Amino acid sequence: MLIKKINSQTKIGQHGPIDAAHITRADYVRWLTESDEAAVERLFEAARSVALAHFGTGIYVRGLIEISAYCRNDCLYCGLRRSNRQAARYRLTEEEILASCRRGYTLGYRTFVLQGGEDPAQSDDWLANLTARIRTAFPDAALTLSVGERSDEAYRWFREAGADRYLLRHETRNEAHYATLHPSDMSAARRRRCLYTLKSLGFQTGAGMMVGSPGQTLDHLLDDLAFLEELDPEMIGIGPFIPAAHTPFSHRSAGSVSLTLRLIALLRLRFPKALIPATTALATLDPMGREKGILAGANVLMPNLSPPGVRGKYGIYDGKCCTGDEAAEAWQALDDRLNRIGYHMVCGRGDYLY
Ligand code: SAH
């Protein structure tokens, strides 16, 4: 009701008000291609009011622990692809991960996100056991896993062991586009199936795509939006593509910050309650990327809580921010930055409110 009210009261440029529940493909096209910056600013304002209505000025924070830089996959865009012989590799032990959680908990984090390549040495069993240990040690913290495609059974073990959320970007909905970004042993359909399984197991589930990945067209993005509408995820992570050295796409140009921000705004309007981060990739391309993301409707930040010694070695793309205000230790500095735009960090699990 509130959303409708906000939107019906918000005149957005020549396109008129946006009815959040009925954004059409044509609306998406118009907003993604709008050249009037003032109109785009009004789109951001509308998205921001929807986020404010649901979350106030609080921004949820997640401590991101990058648990392994080994991966059995060979995604063409990712610096951690297995055929990249130049990539720095490391893998955290169970004790190192628990110590990171402990450090994060003391700093104020109440959500830990364990993300990594699909590292065969971090088996399903091992991850389920680790999940159970974290669950026991930090009963009031939420645990998010982001460790790629696993079997239905493995996902069930993770859930039963106490994981609350799972991030698995669908990357691109378009099959042909997916096939140009991934080797032939990977499939867009399987990834989507994983997402439906995760949802059915009761995970707060996150999907999403890179913006400006090589070969991406406006139609691909529209397919992504349609897929997100169908899946109805609790979390949506999007960020610009950034080239990674020693990959087939090392010389491609990075995705657009402006397009990413418009997509964040449209996603906020379409998914008012979704947990939408202002991602590290956005902050990497634009020093004000976090603030811009929040002002376009994002409500989550994921500072880096990996052990300082390995930070910078999780090289999914070049130049990735992991120090300064991207470091989990910079709680106060990050809060100060948010205060300057009228927001603040929230110490809490920051669950999806169904
Ligand atoms: N292995 C896990 C985690 C992958 S890294 C999984 O499969 O989900 C998390 C996300 O980083 C990926 O889903 C992808 O969308 C993004 N990513 C990878 N390479 C990137 C690049 N070069 N530029 C921007 N984002 C990238």
Side-chain angles (χ1 to χ4, degrees), residues 71 73 75 77-80 115-118 146-149 166-171 186 191 208-210 237 239-244 247 281 314 316-318:
C71 192
N73 284 333
C75 308
Y77 46 83
C78 183
L80 298 183
Q115 184 173 92
E118 289 184 25
S146 180
V147 286
E149 296 172 31
Y166 204 102
L167 298 174
L168 185 77
R169 291 189 180 174
H170 67 280
E171 311 297 0
M186 292 183 76
R191 209 156 171 93
M209 62 280 183
M210 283 175 288
F241 160 76
I242 302 177
T247 65
Y314 188 72
I316 52 179
Y317 50 78
D318 295 347

Side-chain angles (χ1 to χ4, degrees), residues 218-285:
L218 184 60
D219 270 334
H220 295 154
L221 284 172
L222 298 173
D223 290 349
D224 290 326
L225 292 164
F227 169 65
L228 291 171
E229 289 183 0
E230 181 190 303
L231 177 71
D232 197 21
E234 286 78 20
M235 308 179 282
I236 307 173
I238 65 168
F241 160 76
I242 302 177
H246 313 296
T247 65
F249 297 144
S250 58
H251 297 294
R252 299 300 185 101
S253 40
S256 149
V257 168
S258 162
L259 189 57
T260 306
L261 294 172
R262 292 161 192 234
L263 282 159
I264 289 177
L266 290 167
L267 289 166
R268 170 58 65 210
L269 290 168
R270 184 62 187 77
F271 301 90
K273 297 196 294 183
L275 303 164
I276 303 179
T279 54
T280 304
L282 196 56
T284 297
L285 284 190

Side-chain angles (χ1 to χ4, degrees), residues 100-166:
S100 298
C101 294
R102 224 167 287 128
R103 213 158 30 82
Y105 193 90
T106 309
L107 287 162
Y109 292 88
R110 293 295 178 271
T111 290
F112 306 119
V113 181
L114 271 43
Q115 184 173 92
E118 289 184 25
D119 179 353
Q122 294 181 338
S123 67
D124 299 339
D125 272 355
W126 184 87
L127 279 161
N129 183 57
L130 172 65
T131 297
R133 284 191 68 186
I134 295 175
R135 174 52 51 243
T136 308
F138 308 98
D140 59 336
L143 179 62
T144 306
L145 297 179
S146 180
V147 286
E149 296 172 31
R150 308 263 166 169
S151 67
D152 293 5
E153 197 180 30
Y155 286 150
R156 186 154 37 75
W157 291 337
F158 300 161
R159 183 81 185 109
E160 283 166 2
D164 305 281
R165 309 186 188 130
Y166 204 102

